[in-house]
Amino acid sequence: RALAEKLLQYGAIPLSFSDSGGFVYEADGIDLAKLETINKIKDERGARIGRYIIASATAQFNEPSNDIFDIPCDLCFPCGAMKQVDDEEVIKLADNGCMGVIEGGPSAVSCSARKLIKKRGLMFGPSTVTMTGTAIAESLGKKGGDDALKAECSRIYQEAVATAQEFNQRGDLVSGGNIAGFLRVANVMLSHGAV
């Protein structure tokens, strides 16, 4: 839900939310007021997302089909379980006009689905790169602001791109992010004499 709030700040329109009980879909999008209602249902009442349909006259629960990946979208931000997005989901997303998948949860896209994303020409933001934003935002706190967060995320992205290119993996943010992270840890261990 924090991701949806940030997307709203940048002018994007979230269409759906899911949890272990299913998903809700708002054809005209979820605005800040609807997001606040969802937060209240989830945080204060501890209820499943399906309870949201009681508060909204336009929301659909587990529709238009029983699969959230059937909903046409520009970008998909899976924030759930590991390997939530597999080949079948990528095919549905691409066929419905989705332009990219950005992991909002750890390894939400399976390895085979990553390959298919690349093959189908979709953008891909791996969790090894995208989830650093959360850690940065927490370390900056409220004093940091969006400009500091944007600068740091841009630095990480550029480092992942440059590292991927350096290791003959041009354009592969998964490899670039993983290699850059490994090198960072290895260099710290070397500086402390651990290796």
Side-chain angles (χ1 to χ4, degrees), residues 129 155-165 172-173 175-178 180:
V129 176
R155 181 195 62 75
I156 291 167
Y157 171 77
Q158 294 302 327
E159 182 179 358
V161 168
T163 303
Q165 189 162 345
D172 187 346
L173 288 178
S175 295
N178 287 339

Side-chain angles (χ1 to χ4, degrees), residues 8-172:
L8 284 167
Q9 289 173 6
Y10 285 109
I13 304 169
L15 298 174
S16 62
F17 277 91
S18 65
D19 64 16
S20 60
F23 70 91
V24 292
Y25 168 58
E26 286 276 9
D28 293 329
I30 297 167
D31 59 20
L32 194 55
K34 291 175 182 176
L35 180 59
E36 288 172 3
T37 302
I38 290 170
N39 285 337
K40 189 173 188 177
I41 289 167
K42 298 291 289 172
D43 295 338
E44 294 175 16
R45 298 183 189 148
R48 297 276 180 233
I49 195 72
R51 291 287 304 264
Y52 173 70
I53 63 169
I54 296 169
S56 172
T58 57
Q60 300 172 21
F61 182 67
N62 287 345
E63 292 180 31
S65 74
N66 227 5
D67 190 351
I68 194 170
F69 297 101
D70 285 332
I71 298 170
C73 62
D74 294 327
L75 297 169
C76 176
F77 295 85
C79 298
M82 292 180 73
K83 300 179 183 169
Q84 175 186 15
V85 179
D86 208 354
D87 294 5
E88 183 180 333
E89 289 77 18
V90 172
I91 291 168
K92 288 179 182 182
L93 289 166
D95 288 348
N96 283 329
C98 182
M99 296 180 288
V101 179
I102 293 86
E103 288 181 313
S107 300
V109 178
S110 72
C111 291
S112 64
R114 288 177 181 172
K115 291 176 185 172
L116 188 56
I117 285 170
K118 189 174 187 176
K119 185 177 180 181
R120 295 289 303 257
L122 276 67
M123 296 179 287
F124 179 60
S127 61
T128 53
V129 176
T130 61
M131 292 185 67
T132 56
T134 305
I136 294 165
E138 287 176 8
S139 68
L140 290 172
K142 296 209 185 258
K143 67 182 182 336
D146 277 351
D147 290 339
L149 177 61
K150 184 178 178 180
E152 194 60 18
C153 287
S154 178
R155 181 195 62 75
I156 291 167
Y157 171 77
Q158 294 302 327
E159 182 179 358
V161 168
T163 303
Q165 189 162 345
E166 179 183 349
F167 287 88
N168 289 328
Q169 300 294 316
R170 187 169 178 237
D172 187 346

